[in-house]
Amino acid sequence: MSPELPESAVPPPTGAGESCPAPSRRTFIATSTAVGGAVVAGGVIGGTSLVGPEEAAAAETPPSGRVSLTVNGTRHTVTVDNRTSLLDLLREHFGLTGSKKGCNAGACGACTVLVDGQRHNACLTLAVRLEGAEVTTIEGLADGDELHPLQQAFIDQDAFQCGYCTPGQIVSGVGCMQEGHTGSPEEIREWMSGNICRCGCYVKIVRAVEQTAGRK
């Protein structure tokens, strides 16, 4: 007499017309993860790079651009990372450290320069967008040993304390005068409100601009 198999060990009957049951969602995810991990591991262990050498080199080299501009009367042509700000170009490439990096977010005005006669926050201005532009920094205001009238007025009015914001304040004041916004102390304060003085020398700064504009 042949021994009988327990019911759980008996394979289910398969008919000729029956199809294999579809895998469950859990089985599908587990199988896909295992296969994917094996492919990646095989590439890493076998030393196979997933990208070619040209693609890898391109990924390591940031995009750059060539720009020609005039800074304080001197023409410069440089190739820089496209992400380089005008402030970093001035300080790190040209050695013009008068423009200060305060907030680096355009909120304090310490980096104010003139671009084609207009006031700009150098930290928010991309250098590669200034092709053919003329830039004036605090270093370019004086005529040799002769100070710009507003620079002298800052000394006369004692319009600074720590001095960190002073370059931006002076350049902004020059721009303010060129724009014709010096009709009153209130107008000067309004049009120079983007320049922050943490020492609180605003009254004397306004007096210095008034002196230079011929109102005092």
Side-chain angles (χ1 to χ4, degrees), residues 13 36 39 85 113 172:
V39 171
S85 68
V113 298
S172 185

Side-chain angles (χ1 to χ4, degrees), residues 70-195:
T70 301
V71 180
N72 298 333
T74 302
R75 189 73 170 175
H76 297 273
T77 299
V78 293
T79 299
V80 295
D81 185 327
N82 288 346
R83 299 164 295 181
T84 302
S85 68
L86 174 58
L87 180 59
D88 286 338
L89 179 68
L90 294 172
R91 292 178 60 86
E92 299 177 12
H93 292 260
F94 300 156
L96 299 173
T97 57
S99 303
K100 303 305 182 186
K101 182 176 286 191
C103 64
N104 206 33
C108 72
C111 64
T112 304
V113 298
L114 300 179
V115 179
D116 294 330
Q118 300 296 315
R119 292 178 285 177
H120 283 257
N121 289 322
C123 69
L124 296 183
T125 305
L126 289 176
V128 292
R129 300 188 63 182
L130 298 179
E131 178 64 33
E134 293 201 13
V135 179
T136 302
T137 71
I138 186 68
E139 291 92 344
L141 293 181
D143 183 9
D145 294 333
E146 183 179 351
L147 295 177
H148 185 280
L150 186 54
Q151 290 175 308
Q152 184 61 53
F154 263 66
I155 296 174
D156 297 342
Q157 297 293 338
D158 194 22
F160 48 83
Q161 187 166 319
C162 77
Y164 196 83
C165 75
T166 302
Q169 296 280 1
I170 292 175
V171 173
S172 185
V174 171
C176 189
M177 290 187 293
Q178 292 177 351
E179 296 161 12
H181 298 304
T182 57
S184 67
E186 293 75 20
E187 185 178 19
I188 294 172
R189 284 195 291 269
E190 173 67 24
W191 287 90
M192 289 189 62
S193 59
N195 291 81

Side-chain angles (χ1 to χ4, degrees), residues 12-23:
T14 56
E18 295 182 1
S19 60
C20 295

Side-chain angles (χ1 to χ4, degrees), residues 1-5:
M1 188 169 97
S2 60
E4 293 184 2
L5 294 174

Side-chain angles (χ1 to χ4, degrees), residues 41-49:
V44 173
I45 295 173
T48 305
S49 174

